[in-house]
Coordinates of all heavy atoms in Angstrom, one line a residue:
M1 N 88.8 125.3 53.3 CA 88.8 124.0 52.5 C 89.0 124.3 51.0 O 88.5 125.3 50.5 CB 87.4 123.4 52.7 CG 87.3 121.9 52.3 SD 85.8 121.2 52.6 CE 84.7 122.0 51.3
A2 N 89.8 123.5 50.4 CA 90.1 123.8 49.0 C 88.9 123.5 48.1 O 88.1 122.6 48.4 CB 91.2 122.8 48.6
K3 N 88.8 124.2 47.1 CA 87.7 124.1 46.1 C 88.0 123.0 45.1 O 89.1 122.9 44.7 CB 87.4 125.4 45.4 CG 86.7 126.4 46.2 CD 86.4 127.7 45.5 CE 87.7 128.6 45.5 NZ 87.4 129.9 44.9
K4 N 87.0 122.2 44.7 CA 87.3 121.2 43.7 C 86.7 121.7 42.3 O 87.0 121.1 41.3 CB 86.7 119.9 44.1 CG 87.3 119.3 45.3 CD 86.8 117.9 45.6 CE 87.7 117.3 46.7 NZ 86.9 117.2 48.0
V5 N 85.9 122.6 42.4 CA 85.4 123.1 41.1 C 85.4 124.7 41.1 O 85.5 125.3 42.1 CB 83.9 122.7 40.8 CG1 83.7 121.2 40.6 CG2 83.0 123.2 42.0
R6 N 85.5 125.1 39.9 CA 85.6 126.6 39.7 C 84.5 127.0 38.8 O 84.1 126.3 37.8 CB 87.0 126.9 39.1 CG 87.1 128.3 38.7 CD 88.5 128.7 38.2 NE 89.0 127.8 37.2 CZ 90.3 127.5 37.0 NH1 91.2 128.1 37.7 NH2 90.6 126.7 36.0
Y7 N 83.9 128.1 39.0 CA 82.8 128.6 38.1 C 83.3 129.8 37.5 O 83.9 130.7 38.1 CB 81.5 128.9 39.0 CG 80.9 127.6 39.6 CD1 81.3 127.1 40.9 CD2 80.0 126.9 38.9 CE1 80.8 126.0 41.4 CE2 79.5 125.7 39.4 CZ 80.0 125.2 40.6 OH 79.4 124.1 41.2
R8 N 83.0 129.9 36.2 CA 83.5 130.9 35.4 C 82.4 131.3 34.4 O 81.7 130.5 33.9 CB 84.7 130.5 34.7 CG 85.4 131.4 33.9 CD 86.8 130.8 33.4 NE 86.6 129.6 32.5 CZ 86.4 129.6 31.2 NH1 86.2 130.8 30.5 NH2 86.3 128.5 30.5
V9 N 82.3 132.6 34.1 CA 81.4 133.1 33.0 C 82.1 132.9 31.7 O 83.1 133.6 31.4 CB 81.0 134.5 33.3 CG1 79.9 135.0 32.2 CG2 80.3 134.7 34.7
A10 N 81.7 132.0 30.9 CA 82.4 131.6 29.7 C 82.0 132.5 28.5 O 82.8 132.8 27.7 CB 82.2 130.2 29.4
G11 N 80.8 132.8 28.4 CA 80.3 133.6 27.3 C 78.8 133.5 27.2 O 78.1 132.6 27.8
G12 N 78.2 134.4 26.4 CA 76.8 134.3 26.3 C 76.0 134.9 27.4 O 74.8 134.7 27.6
C13 N 76.7 135.7 28.2 CA 76.0 136.3 29.3 C 75.0 137.4 28.8 O 75.3 138.2 28.1 CB 77.0 137.1 30.2 SG 76.4 138.1 31.5
A14 N 73.7 137.2 29.4 CA 72.6 138.1 29.0 C 72.5 139.3 29.8 O 71.6 140.1 29.7 CB 71.4 137.3 29.0
L15 N 73.5 139.5 30.8 CA 73.5 140.6 31.6 C 72.3 140.8 32.5 O 71.8 141.8 32.8 CB 73.7 142.0 30.8 CG 74.9 142.0 29.9 CD1 74.9 143.2 29.0 CD2 76.2 141.9 30.6
C16 N 71.6 139.6 32.8 CA 70.4 139.6 33.6 C 70.5 139.9 35.0 O 69.6 140.2 35.7 CB 69.7 138.3 33.3 SG 70.4 136.9 34.1
M17 N 71.8 139.7 35.5 CA 72.1 139.9 36.9 C 71.6 139.0 38.0 O 71.8 139.1 39.1 CB 71.8 141.4 37.4 CG 72.5 142.4 36.6 SD 72.1 144.1 37.0 CE 72.9 144.2 38.6
T18 N 70.9 137.9 37.4 CA 70.4 136.9 38.3 C 71.4 136.3 39.2 O 71.3 136.1 40.4 CB 69.7 135.8 37.5 OG1 68.7 136.3 36.7 CG2 69.1 134.7 38.4
C19 N 72.6 136.0 38.6 CA 73.7 135.3 39.4 C 74.2 136.3 40.5 O 74.6 135.8 41.6 CB 74.8 134.9 38.5 SG 75.5 136.3 37.5
I20 N 74.2 137.5 40.2 CA 74.7 138.5 41.2 C 73.8 138.5 42.4 O 74.3 138.4 43.5 CB 74.7 139.9 40.6 CG1 75.8 139.9 39.5 CG2 75.0 140.9 41.7 CD1 75.9 141.1 38.6
Y21 N 72.5 138.3 42.2 CA 71.6 138.3 43.3 C 71.7 137.0 44.1 O 71.3 136.9 45.3 CB 70.1 138.5 42.8 CG 69.9 140.0 42.3 CD1 69.4 140.1 41.0 CD2 70.3 141.1 43.0 CE1 69.2 141.4 40.5 CE2 70.1 142.3 42.5 CZ 69.6 142.5 41.2 OH 69.4 143.8 40.6
Q22 N 72.0 136.0 43.4 CA 72.1 134.6 44.0 C 73.3 134.4 44.8 O 73.3 133.6 45.7 CB 72.1 133.5 42.9 CG 70.7 133.4 42.1 CD 69.6 132.8 43.0 OE1 70.0 131.9 43.8 NE2 68.4 133.2 42.9
C23 N 74.4 135.0 44.5 CA 75.6 134.7 45.1 C 75.7 135.2 46.6 O 75.5 136.3 46.9 CB 76.8 135.4 44.4 SG 78.5 135.1 45.1
P24 N 75.9 134.2 47.5 CA 75.9 134.5 49.0 C 77.1 135.3 49.4 O 77.1 135.8 50.5 CB 75.9 133.1 49.6 CG 76.6 132.2 48.7 CD 76.2 132.8 47.3
V25 N 78.1 135.4 48.6 CA 79.3 136.1 49.1 C 79.7 137.3 48.2 O 80.9 137.8 48.3 CB 80.6 135.2 49.3 CG1 80.3 134.1 50.3 CG2 80.8 134.5 47.9
N26 N 78.8 137.7 47.4 CA 79.0 138.9 46.5 C 80.3 138.8 45.7 O 81.1 139.7 45.6 CB 79.0 140.2 47.4 CG 77.7 140.5 48.0 OD1 76.7 140.3 47.4 ND2 77.7 140.9 49.3
A27 N 80.5 137.6 45.2 CA 81.7 137.4 44.4 C 81.5 137.8 42.9 O 82.5 137.8 42.2 CB 82.1 135.9 44.4
I28 N 80.3 138.1 42.5 CA 80.0 138.4 41.1 C 79.7 139.9 40.9 O 79.0 140.5 41.6 CB 78.9 137.5 40.6 CG1 79.0 136.1 40.9 CG2 78.7 137.7 39.1 CD1 77.9 135.2 40.5
S29 N 80.4 140.4 39.9 CA 80.1 141.8 39.5 C 79.9 141.8 38.0 O 80.1 140.9 37.3 CB 81.2 142.7 39.9 OG 82.5 142.2 39.3
L30 N 79.4 143.0 37.6 CA 78.9 143.1 36.2 C 79.9 144.1 35.5 O 80.0 145.2 36.0 CB 77.5 143.5 36.0 CG 76.8 143.3 34.8 CD1 76.6 141.8 34.5 CD2 75.5 144.0 34.7
I31 N 80.5 143.7 34.5 CA 81.2 144.7 33.6 C 80.1 145.2 32.6 O 79.6 144.4 31.9 CB 82.4 144.1 32.8 CG1 83.4 143.4 33.8 CG2 83.0 145.1 31.9 CD1 84.5 142.7 33.1
E32 N 79.8 146.5 32.8 CA 78.7 147.0 32.1 C 78.7 146.8 30.6 O 79.7 147.0 29.9 CB 78.6 148.6 32.3 CG 77.2 149.1 32.1 CD 77.1 150.6 32.6 OE1 78.0 151.0 33.3 OE2 76.2 151.2 32.1
D33 N 77.6 146.2 30.1 CA 77.4 146.0 28.6 C 78.4 144.9 28.1 O 78.5 144.6 26.9 CB 77.7 147.2 27.7 CG 76.6 148.3 28.1 OD1 75.5 147.9 28.5 OD2 76.9 149.4 27.8
V34 N 79.0 144.1 29.0 CA 79.9 143.1 28.6 C 79.6 141.7 29.2 O 79.1 140.9 28.4 CB 81.4 143.4 28.9 CG1 82.4 142.3 28.4 CG2 81.8 144.8 28.4
S35 N 79.7 141.6 30.4 CA 79.5 140.2 31.0 C 79.6 140.3 32.5 O 80.2 141.2 33.1 CB 80.7 139.3 30.6 OG 80.6 138.0 31.2
A36 N 79.0 139.3 33.2 CA 79.2 139.1 34.6 C 80.6 138.5 34.8 O 81.0 137.7 33.9 CB 78.1 138.3 35.2
V37 N 81.3 138.8 35.9 CA 82.5 138.2 36.1 C 82.6 137.7 37.6 O 82.0 138.3 38.5 CB 83.7 139.1 35.9 CG1 84.0 139.3 34.4 CG2 83.5 140.5 36.6
I38 N 83.2 136.5 37.8 CA 83.3 135.9 39.1 C 84.7 136.2 39.6 O 85.6 135.8 39.0 CB 83.0 134.4 39.0 CG1 81.6 134.2 38.5 CG2 83.2 133.8 40.4 CD1 81.2 132.7 38.2
D39 N 84.7 136.7 40.9 CA 85.9 136.9 41.5 C 86.3 135.6 42.2 O 85.7 135.2 43.2 CB 85.8 138.1 42.6 CG 87.1 138.4 43.3 OD1 88.0 137.5 43.4 OD2 87.2 139.4 43.9
Q40 N 87.4 135.0 41.6 CA 87.8 133.7 42.2 C 88.2 133.7 43.6 O 88.2 132.6 44.3 CB 88.8 133.0 41.2 CG 88.3 132.8 39.8 CD 87.1 131.9 39.7 OE1 86.9 131.0 40.5 NE2 86.2 132.1 38.7
E41 N 88.7 134.8 44.0 CA 89.3 134.9 45.4 C 88.1 134.8 46.4 O 88.2 134.3 47.5 CB 90.0 136.2 45.5 CG 91.2 136.3 44.7 CD 92.3 135.2 45.2 OE1 92.5 135.2 46.4 OE2 92.9 134.6 44.3
K42 N 86.9 135.4 46.0 CA 85.7 135.5 46.9 C 84.9 134.2 46.7 O 84.2 133.8 47.7 CB 85.0 136.7 46.6 CG 85.5 138.0 47.0 CD 84.5 139.1 46.8 CE 85.1 140.5 47.0 NZ 84.2 141.5 46.6
C43 N 84.8 133.6 45.6 CA 83.9 132.5 45.3 C 84.1 131.3 46.2 O 85.3 130.9 46.4 CB 84.0 132.1 43.8 SG 83.1 130.6 43.4
I44 N 83.1 130.8 46.8 CA 83.2 129.6 47.7 C 82.7 128.4 47.0 O 82.6 127.3 47.6 CB 82.4 129.9 49.0 CG1 81.0 130.2 48.7 CG2 83.1 131.0 49.8 CD1 80.0 130.1 50.0
G45 N 82.4 128.5 45.7 CA 82.0 127.3 44.9 C 80.7 126.7 45.2 O 80.5 125.5 45.1
C46 N 79.7 127.5 45.6 CA 78.4 126.9 46.0 C 77.6 126.5 44.9 O 76.7 125.7 45.0 CB 77.7 128.0 46.8 SG 77.1 129.3 45.8
G47 N 77.8 127.0 43.7 CA 77.1 126.6 42.5 C 75.8 127.3 42.3 O 75.1 127.0 41.2
S48 N 75.4 128.3 43.1 CA 74.1 128.9 43.0 C 74.0 129.7 41.6 O 72.9 129.7 41.0 CB 73.9 129.9 44.2 OG 73.7 129.2 45.3
C49 N 75.1 130.4 41.3 CA 75.0 131.1 40.0 C 74.9 130.3 38.9 O 74.1 130.5 37.9 CB 76.3 132.0 39.9 SG 77.9 131.0 40.0
Y50 N 75.6 129.1 38.9 CA 75.6 128.2 37.8 C 74.2 127.6 37.6 O 73.7 127.5 36.4 CB 76.5 127.0 38.2 CG 76.6 125.9 37.2 CD1 77.3 126.0 36.0 CD2 76.1 124.7 37.7 CE1 77.3 124.8 35.2 CE2 76.2 123.5 36.9 CZ 76.8 123.6 35.6 OH 76.8 122.5 34.8
N51 N 73.6 127.3 38.7 CA 72.2 126.7 38.7 C 71.2 127.8 38.2 O 70.1 127.4 37.7 CB 71.9 126.1 40.0 CG 72.6 124.9 40.4 OD1 73.0 124.1 39.5 ND2 73.0 124.7 41.6
A52 N 71.4 129.0 38.5 CA 70.5 130.1 38.3 C 70.6 130.7 36.9 O 69.6 131.3 36.4 CB 70.7 131.1 39.3
C53 N 71.7 130.5 36.2 CA 72.0 131.1 34.9 C 71.1 130.5 33.8 O 71.5 129.4 33.4 CB 73.3 131.2 34.7 SG 73.8 132.0 33.1
Q54 N 70.1 131.2 33.4 CA 69.2 130.6 32.3 C 70.0 130.4 31.0 O 69.8 129.3 30.4 CB 68.0 131.5 32.1 CG 67.0 131.5 33.3 CD 66.3 130.2 33.4 OE1 66.0 129.5 32.4 NE2 65.8 129.9 34.6
P55 N 70.7 131.3 30.6 CA 71.4 131.1 29.3 C 72.6 130.2 29.3 O 73.3 130.0 28.3 CB 71.9 132.5 28.9 CG 71.3 133.5 29.8 CD 71.0 132.7 31.1
E56 N 72.9 129.6 30.5 CA 74.0 128.7 30.7 C 75.3 129.4 30.3 O 76.2 128.7 29.6 CB 73.8 127.4 30.0 CG 72.5 126.7 30.5 CD 72.3 125.3 29.8 OE1 73.0 125.0 29.0 OE2 71.3 124.7 30.3
A57 N 75.5 130.6 30.8 CA 76.7 131.3 30.4 C 77.8 130.9 31.4 O 78.9 131.2 31.1 CB 76.4 132.8 30.5
I58 N 77.4 130.4 32.5 CA 78.5 130.0 33.6 C 78.8 128.6 33.4 O 77.9 127.7 33.3 CB 77.9 130.4 34.9 CG1 77.6 131.8 35.1 CG2 78.9 129.8 36.0 CD1 76.9 132.2 36.4
V59 N 80.1 128.3 33.4 CA 80.6 126.9 33.3 C 81.2 126.5 34.5 O 81.7 127.3 35.3 CB 81.5 126.8 32.1 CG1 80.8 127.0 30.8 CG2 82.7 127.7 32.2
Q60 N 81.1 125.2 34.7 CA 81.7 124.6 35.9 C 83.0 123.8 35.4 O 82.9 123.0 34.5 CB 80.7 123.5 36.5 CG 81.2 122.9 37.7 CD 80.1 121.8 38.1 OE1 79.7 121.0 37.4 NE2 79.6 121.9 39.4
E61 N 84.1 124.1 36.1 CA 85.3 123.4 35.7 C 85.9 122.7 36.9 O 86.1 123.3 38.0 CB 86.4 124.5 35.2 CG 85.9 125.3 34.1 CD 86.8 126.5 33.8 OE1 87.3 127.1 34.7 OE2 87.0 126.7 32.6
K62 N 86.4 121.5 36.7 CA 87.0 120.8 37.7 C 88.5 121.3 37.8 O 89.1 121.5 36.9 CB 87.1 119.3 37.4 CG 85.7 118.6 37.6 CD 85.8 117.1 37.6 CE 84.5 116.5 38.0 NZ 83.3 116.9 37.3
I63 N 88.9 121.5 39.1 CA 90.3 121.9 39.3 C 91.0 121.0 40.3 O 90.3 120.4 41.1 CB 90.4 123.4 39.8 CG1 89.5 123.6 41.1 CG2 89.9 124.4 38.7 CD1 89.6 125.0 41.7
E64 N 92.3 121.1 40.3 CA 93.0 120.3 41.3 C 92.9 120.9 42.6 O 92.8 122.1 42.7 CB 94.5 120.3 40.9 CG 94.8 119.6 39.5 CD 94.4 118.1 39.5 OE1 94.7 117.4 40.5 OE2 93.8 117.7 38.5
E65 N 92.9 120.1 43.6 CA 92.8 120.6 45.0 C 94.1 121.4 45.3 O 95.2 121.0 45.0 CB 92.6 119.5 46.0 CG 91.2 119.3 46.3 CD 91.0 118.4 47.5 OE1 91.2 118.7 48.6 OE2 90.6 117.2 47.2
E66 N 93.9 122.5 45.9 CA 95.0 123.4 46.3 C 95.3 123.2 47.7 O 94.4 122.9 48.5 CB 94.7 124.9 45.9 CG 94.6 125.1 44.4 CD 93.9 126.4 44.2 OE1 93.7 127.2 45.1 OE2 93.5 126.7 43.0
A67 N 96.5 123.4 48.2 CA 96.9 123.2 49.5 C 96.4 124.3 50.4 O 96.1 125.4 49.9 CB 98.4 123.2 49.6
Ligands
LIG101 S1 72.8 134.8 35.4 FE1 74.0 134.2 33.6 S2 73.3 135.6 32.0 FE2 72.6 136.4 34.0 S3 74.2 137.9 34.5 FE3 74.7 136.0 35.4 S4 76.1 135.0 34.0 FE4 75.0 136.6 32.9
LIG102 S1 79.6 129.6 42.8 FE1 78.5 130.5 44.6 S2 80.0 131.7 45.6 FE2 80.8 131.3 43.6 S3 80.3 133.0 42.3 FE3 78.7 131.4 42.1 S4 77.1 131.9 43.6 FE4 78.9 133.1 44.1

């Protein structure tokens, strides 16, 4: 099923790793001392990371449906 939203770490990541523990498909990894990053190929768009991120570093973006 095509995703309608995309989640992305935009900035202000506190490196807390909460999102990494929340993600059901292990789509998030941490670039040490920099930021968490979401692998868009693995992400299923569940929103758990977005809801869990206290500093609101993760943004939700609407995307066009892909075939
Ligand atoms: S939950 Fe937010 S602040 Fe914490 S590692 Fe993930 S993106 Fe960064
Ligand atoms: S939206 Fe869900 S699947 Fe995608 S990175 Fe966040 S927790 Fe993982």
Side-chain angles (χ1 to χ4, degrees):
M1 197 176 73
K3 283 181 280 188
K4 294 191 175 106
V5 292
R6 171 172 54 203
Y7 294 91
R8 182 170 65 81
V9 183
C13 172
L15 308 171
C16 68
M17 297 180 72
T18 302
C19 57
I20 293 170
Y21 297 127
Q22 290 289 325
C23 182
V25 293
N26 294 320
I28 310 176
S29 55
L30 199 70
I31 300 176
E32 204 173 338
D33 296 335
V34 181
S35 176
V37 283
I38 296 172
D39 183 338
Q40 299 298 332
E41 295 294 315
K42 289 187 186 172
C43 174
I44 58 170
C46 72
S48 294
C49 56
Y50 174 76
N51 292 324
C53 180
Q54 290 289 332
E56 300 182 356
I58 298 174
V59 294
Q60 185 185 51
E61 301 172 322
K62 287 192 169 52
I63 54 173
E64 296 299 318
E65 265 188 77
E66 292 162 12

